[in-house]
Amino acid sequence: MRQRLRGFLADTRPLRATAFRRLWVANVVTVVGAQLTVVAVPAQIYTLTGSSAWVGLTGLFGLIPLIVFGLWGGALADHFDRRTVLIITTAGLIATSALFCLLALQPHTDVWLLLVVYALQQACFAVNQPTRTAVLPALLPLDQLPAANSLNMTVMSAGAIAGPLIGGALIPVFGFPLLYLIDTLFLLATLWAVTSLPRLPPAGEHRGTPGLRSVLDGLRYLLGHPILLTSFLVDGIAMVFGMPRALFPQIAHESFGGPVEGGPAFALLFAAMPAGAVLGGVLSGWVSRVDRQGLAVIWAVIGWGAAIIVTGVAVWLAPSAPIAMLAVAVAALAFGGAVDMASAAFRQSMLLGAADDNVRGRLQGVFIVVVAGGPRIADVLHGWAAESIGTAATTAGGGVLVIVGVVIAAIMLPAFGRYRLSENPVR
């Protein structure tokens, strides 16, 4: 029984590698601080302006540098020593968090200046994250990459739950400067972890400079590899059609009777996905034993679509039994978070294992753009659709489109479903 239980629990073999263990432990510390800043910036802007339109600008100021520097940052990671890139961008994250703290201490904070610092922070993040992921194959054996990705995403999901809860409790008591100071200090743990890494130059020959041409070379490489391209396609389908988070405020208020400004139903809907991802990460021991990773991704995305359909049905039935249907919706979203965690772990492992080392950074940059951009597109599409057909039909219909879309993608690109880790094909 003990051996069976271990088979279900997270595979912790990657933590035996000193370099990965240091990065992971540092991430445990810093992810909470990062989430505190994620909460503090929009809350501070709303406090200063009293306008949701101003708060909405954080999406624009965050998305543009995320796209530009996500793609360019991947090129940097493929041309320069990745340890050096990590040190510079981590120092940039520390500097921007310190700037937030200094601005919050001023008696009159300029909102535009806050947005500019936020854009700078997102630019540093967009370069840092692809580089951090691209170094994993140099630190771990290929068969441990799914486990490593699961461990990383479990920490990120836990931070997505703990950070907002802690931030929401601390802001009224201590104000914004303390949250930014905590983030600044916690980031020192990451700086220590990346400075202790060995030199990590990318493999292969590199000509020219990491500019637009290098970015385009990476995109051409992606277009020439159907397996890698399909991994982005199925994730885009799942996120664009099956991410109804923009509807949660309206659903919580209209369907489950919560107050306009939020309330328990609102909090439960938002926390359900990351909570499910954390549970999926804790019980992710099985991911290391999956050889047909492409097929696993397809089934995981189908599971995600099914979870969103159930959520939509629960919203539709909510007037007859609001408490019971809220429980169903939360459980479905939690299941969706768990299967999405598995899907992301497999897709990351495929990108790292099936791609040449000299383009891994650029492909991780594309990964960041898709992961960040997909939900933002979904916010717009779901919001428009709900105005016409309502939240229940929009949510459930999105889940149906996810399943239909991923099945079509699997049929049109069968090599993706046949992908095996043991064979490690790239075409």
Side-chain angles (χ1 to χ4, degrees), residues 41-404:
V41 171
Q44 185 180 7
I45 291 175
Y46 187 79
T47 300
L48 292 170
T49 65
S51 169
S52 293
W54 277 96
V55 177
L57 281 177
T58 59
L60 180 63
F61 274 72
L63 181 59
I64 292 176
L66 204 60
I67 293 174
V68 174
F69 286 90
L71 296 175
W72 185 53
L76 292 174
D78 288 336
H79 279 75
F80 300 112
D81 186 290
R82 290 166 179 167
R83 173 179 176 271
T84 302
V85 175
L86 285 174
I87 291 173
I88 293 173
T89 53
T90 302
L93 290 170
I94 293 172
T96 51
S97 292
L99 282 173
F100 278 131
C101 184
L102 291 175
L103 289 173
L105 290 170
Q106 303 303 310
H108 303 289
T109 303
D110 186 281
V111 179
W112 288 108
L113 192 54
L114 268 178
L115 290 170
V116 169
V117 175
Y118 180 70
L120 290 173
Q121 184 190 62
Q122 293 302 296
C124 292
F125 172 81
V127 179
N128 183 276
Q129 284 301 113
T131 309
R132 181 182 293 201
T133 306
V135 304
L136 292 183
L139 306 179
L140 296 167
L142 184 64
D143 66 330
Q144 293 184 21
L145 293 180
N149 288 315
S150 297
L151 289 170
N152 284 337
M153 281 177 279
T154 301
V155 171
M156 295 297 292
S157 300
I161 301 172
L165 292 176
I166 297 172
L170 291 181
I171 289 174
V173 180
F174 298 105
F176 299 107
L178 178 64
L179 271 68
Y180 295 133
L181 179 61
I182 291 173
D183 188 20
T184 304
L185 296 177
F186 281 9
L187 278 166
L188 294 175
T190 297
L191 185 62
W192 163 78
V194 297
T195 54
S196 64
L197 291 173
R199 288 186 69 253
L200 295 167
E205 182 181 0
H206 301 277
R207 298 176 180 176
T209 58
L212 179 60
R213 183 174 180 177
S214 178
V215 172
L216 294 177
D217 286 342
L219 294 177
R220 278 193 290 269
Y221 179 92
L222 178 61
L223 292 174
H225 294 74
I227 290 174
L228 302 180
L229 182 62
T230 309
S231 72
F232 289 112
L233 175 61
V234 296
D235 183 49
I237 291 170
M239 291 297 99
V240 171
F241 296 117
M243 178 58 80
R245 66 181 185 182
L247 308 182
F248 288 168
Q250 184 179 353
I251 290 173
H253 173 57
E254 294 182 355
S255 301
F256 299 119
V260 175
E261 62 273 16
F266 175 81
L268 286 171
L269 290 173
F270 265 100
M273 286 185 187
V278 170
L279 181 60
V282 172
L283 301 176
S284 64
W286 60 277
V287 300
S288 298
R289 299 190 294 273
V290 174
D291 187 42
R292 296 193 63 179
Q293 294 185 339
L295 185 61
V297 170
I298 292 170
W299 279 112
V301 175
I302 290 174
W304 165 266
I308 301 304
I309 292 173
V310 172
T311 303
V313 172
V315 172
W316 178 53
L317 296 175
S320 60
I323 296 178
M325 289 302 103
L326 176 60
V328 171
V330 170
L333 291 171
F335 175 78
V339 296
D340 182 56
M341 187 284 304
S343 169
F346 289 130
R347 285 183 287 105
Q348 276 279 28
S349 301
M350 292 169 72
L351 284 176
L352 293 172
D356 295 337
D357 184 71
N358 60 359
V359 295
R360 279 181 179 141
R362 279 166 284 185
L363 294 185
Q364 289 303 318
V366 176
F367 184 88
I368 290 295
V369 170
V370 172
V371 169
R376 286 170 170 82
I377 296 173
D379 291 344
V380 176
L381 294 179
H382 282 72
W384 286 348
E387 288 292 320
S388 302
I389 62 176
T391 57
T394 299
T395 303
V400 172
L401 289 176
V402 168
I403 294 176
V404 172

